[in-house]
Amino acid sequence: MAHQLRKSHPLLKLVNHSLIDLPTPSNISYWWNFGSLLGFTLLIQLASGVMLMMHFLADDSLAFMSVAYTSREVWYGWLIRSLHANGASLFFLCTFLHIGRGVYYGSYLNENTWNIGVLLLLLLMATAFMGYVLPWGQMSFWGATVITNLMSAIPYVGDSIVTWIWGGPSVNSATLTRFTTLHFLLPFILMATILTHLIFLHERGSFNPLGLISNADKIPFHPYFSAKDAMGMALATVLLMTLTFYFPNLLGDPENFTPADPMKTPDHIKPEWYFLFAYTILRSIPNKLMGVIAMFASILVLLLLPALHTSKRQSMSLRPLSQLLFWVLIADFFILTWIGGQPVQNPYTLIGQTASFIYFFTILILLPLTGMIENLLIKPLRYRPYGPWKIPIMPTWGN
Amino acid sequence: MGPEFGRLAYVRHVITYTLSPFEQRPFANYFRVGLPNTWRRFRSSVFRVTPPFVVAYAVYSWGTEENERLKRKNPADYANDQ
């Protein structure tokens, strides 16, 4: 009908299908807000990043000074820089909570969406890593040196790959310029990948906390979840502004206030907080190559979750044993993050190795085992004994 | 593309009743039922959520103290020094 332009216009009907008339389960909780929050945070990062790029000079003798100039002389440059730096932390906070929701509620059973999500995580980590190098402070330079040097552990071609990445015999101006280009480019690739993530999600529709098929109880996205998401964005904005205005350097490293000096190594080289869990796993294994493999495995293990799902029920909401193990995993993640910021001394090394072991053991062995135990604890599926139709009383995804 | 309203599910013999928002109290029983229900929800999940964090805090506390201890000299090693 002509007056329902949102359903007939070629462009508007895409917006309509995704954000207005999208059938959404009525019972999705606040854990489902983090997807839209991630999109919101990406927009903040894009806007603030483009404005920072207008003043940034990608040369090793000018970068640090240009960032200081932006913060001091450009109107509201201090605000744009603080928003961008703290926005990255908000981005990762929302990502970890979004993934945690996925693990708890069995969202990984939507495999296409999940696999693209893991790719998004890797793209995000690459973008953030390169972005941190740009201010060319001590931690920028030495963090880049440590992490890019890890590639030399690859047999035969490792050293060549590292020299190719650096564009020289060490991290230098060429490295900075190419990281600037890639840091600008990757967010747009991220946006395109997010679109495919959403396309696959909208094929089936969102899951819900109960883990049951919700087709009989769906409500339109607008106004219910547009309002709920707007509230989530308002709360996230409060958090981001509190950090930006009151504690802008809380999550940063003081070393980055010193310009990069290749002749002076900082006492404690460590990445930003969102990489510390991977840093712990990397340092837990004495062998360099195995440490690198373990670090990548800590992210790529997420791809195995669909295959490791042994429970007959999708969500953990009715599985108390799995719930306990889930929170063991989360507490272990906190321990890994703490240890990543500590020096390589006793007893931190022992705790880090134990926590790394617990991380992989819980995901690969304990959670699947617990799923199987819980299957034995539920009553068998019953069918209605009467009526013209025969459907199971508790249908679940995957059947 | 994807499920749309009208093609989601076929459910028969379900009758729903609703009351106009103008005929009911907003935030009805918000505290009288809401607070005991919140306590019930907290009780049903607290012993699954908090034990791992209690253990994690104990590890953090012990690890920090042990690291400090290992950086100190032991006075007993120097008890017989002249």
Side-chain angles (χ1 to χ4, degrees):
Chain A
M1 286 187 279
H3 69 274
Q4 295 226 300
L5 194 64
R6 74 174 198 277
K7 291 186 186 177
S8 56
H9 187 275
L11 291 178
L12 288 179
K13 70 180 180 187
L14 293 173
V15 176
N16 179 57
H17 180 79
S18 313
L19 294 171
I20 303 172
D21 285 341
L22 175 73
T24 316
S26 65
N27 62 330
I28 53 174
S29 63
Y30 279 100
W31 293 107
W32 267 254
N33 272 46
F34 293 105
S36 63
L37 271 178
L38 282 166
F40 173 67
T41 314
L42 175 63
L43 290 176
I44 293 176
Q45 291 301 93
L46 276 169
S48 57
V50 162
M51 285 191 270
L52 286 175
M53 274 297 177
M54 292 176 186
H55 305 280
F56 181 71
L57 298 170
D59 184 83
D60 62 349
S61 57
L62 299 170
F64 187 88
M65 180 224 67
S66 72
V67 172
Y69 173 83
T70 307
S71 295
R72 291 165 181 271
E73 305 294 338
V74 173
W75 279 22
Y76 296 103
W78 56 270
L79 175 60
I80 300 168
R81 198 250 170 123
S82 187
L83 269 176
H84 197 73
N86 290 301
S89 289
L90 180 68
F91 211 138
F92 275 94
L93 175 68
C94 292
T95 301
F96 292 146
L97 293 169
H98 188 66
I99 296 171
R101 183 281 311 265
V103 173
Y104 188 92
Y105 291 107
S107 309
Y108 45 77
L109 293 179
N110 192 340
E111 287 189 40
N112 290 315
T113 310
W114 182 258
N115 293 341
I116 294 175
V118 176
L119 175 63
L120 281 169
L121 176 62
L122 292 167
L123 282 172
L124 176 68
M125 291 173 99
T127 309
F129 168 70
M130 288 189 289
Y132 193 65
V133 176
L134 301 190
W136 212 243
Q138 274 286 69
M139 209 47 83
S140 306
F141 176 88
W142 287 100
T145 304
V146 166
I147 298 301
T148 49
N149 254 312
L150 294 175
M151 302 300 117
S152 67
I154 300 169
Y156 303 112
V157 296
D159 287 325
S160 305
I161 288 176
V162 172
T163 315
W164 174 67
I165 291 173
W166 284 341
S170 66
V171 173
N172 59 88
S173 197
T175 323
L176 174 60
T177 47
R178 60 192 55 186
F179 276 15
T180 308
T181 308
L182 291 172
H183 182 70
F184 195 94
L185 173 68
L186 274 181
F188 298 105
I189 297 176
L190 202 74
M191 271 212 296
T193 314
I194 287 169
L195 276 175
T196 60
H197 187 65
L198 289 172
I199 285 170
F200 280 109
L201 174 68
H202 289 167
E203 277 296 304
R204 280 205 215 177
S206 288
F207 286 2
N208 67 88
L210 280 176
L212 308 173
I213 295 176
S214 57
N215 283 340
D217 184 21
K218 288 210 163 151
I219 54 180
F221 187 85
H222 179 69
Y224 300 104
F225 295 106
S226 49
K228 192 174 186 181
D229 281 353
M231 210 203 80
M233 289 173 198
L235 288 174
T237 305
V238 168
L239 177 66
L240 179 61
M241 293 307 159
T242 306
L243 267 180
T244 301
F245 287 109
Y246 292 108
F247 312 104
N249 301 311
L250 178 70
L251 301 172
D253 196 311
E255 282 282 1
N256 236 22
F257 281 94
T258 312
D261 185 354
M263 305 306 287
K264 190 173 182 302
T265 309
D267 290 332
H268 302 295
I269 301 172
K270 57 186 174 107
E272 288 286 270
W273 69 268
Y274 35 81
F275 289 143
L276 290 174
F277 76 96
Y279 201 51
T280 304
I281 293 171
L282 170 76
R283 297 192 299 183
S284 291
I285 303 180
N287 180 280
K288 189 173 180 181
L289 179 61
M290 293 310 297
V292 173
I293 291 173
M295 183 179 71
F296 282 112
S298 69
I299 308 294
L300 296 175
V301 75
L302 293 172
L303 293 170
L304 293 177
L305 282 178
L308 295 167
H309 186 92
T310 52
S311 174
K312 286 180 185 165
R313 284 169 290 179
Q314 174 188 328
S315 165
M316 281 190 199
S317 56
L318 300 167
R319 297 196 275 138
L321 299 175
S322 294
Q323 283 179 24
L324 188 62
L325 272 180
F326 173 83
W327 292 108
V328 165
L329 190 62
I330 301 302
D332 187 62
F333 187 85
F334 276 88
I335 295 279
L336 286 170
T337 302
W338 162 55
I339 293 290
Q342 301 305 120
V344 182
Q345 296 167 359
N346 284 324
Y348 298 136
T349 45
L350 176 67
I351 296 172
Q353 287 166 337
T354 311
S356 304
F357 173 77
I358 289 173
Y359 178 84
F360 287 104
F361 190 65
T362 307
I363 293 176
L364 294 172
I365 308 290
L366 288 182
L367 274 171
L369 212 60
T370 315
M372 290 195 280
I373 292 170
E374 283 163 341
N375 286 342
L376 300 171
L377 296 174
I378 57 173
K379 288 180 182 173
L381 219 54
R382 292 181 294 117
Y383 287 80
R384 291 190 190 283
Y386 53 86
W389 59 86
K390 286 194 84 170
I391 51 169
I393 290 173
M394 300 257 287
T396 55
W397 280 110
N399 289 345
Chain B
M1 181 184 82
E4 291 167 351
F5 283 114
R7 293 197 299 117
L8 290 172
Y10 296 97
V11 185
R12 296 165 60 199
H13 306 301
V14 173
I15 304 166
T16 56
Y17 296 91
T18 53
L19 203 57
S20 161
F22 295 101
E23 302 291 328
Q24 53 184 303
R25 290 184 296 130
F27 295 100
N29 298 321
Y30 191 74
F31 294 108
R32 197 172 68 83
V33 174
L35 287 176
N37 192 44
T38 306
W39 173 244
R40 176 194 67 80
R41 287 165 57 202
F42 173 80
R43 261 182 31 229
S44 71
S45 60
V46 65
F47 295 115
R48 300 170 202 176
V49 177
T50 47
F53 289 102
V54 169
V55 171
Y57 181 77
V59 169
Y60 161 78
S61 180
W62 170 81
T64 311
E65 284 172 10
E66 180 70 2
N67 182 255
E68 285 299 312
R69 187 188 72 77
L70 288 169
K71 289 192 281 192
R72 295 274 156 267
K73 291 180 182 177
N74 182 5
D77 292 343
Y78 305 93
N80 294 321
D81 277 7
Q82 306 268 314

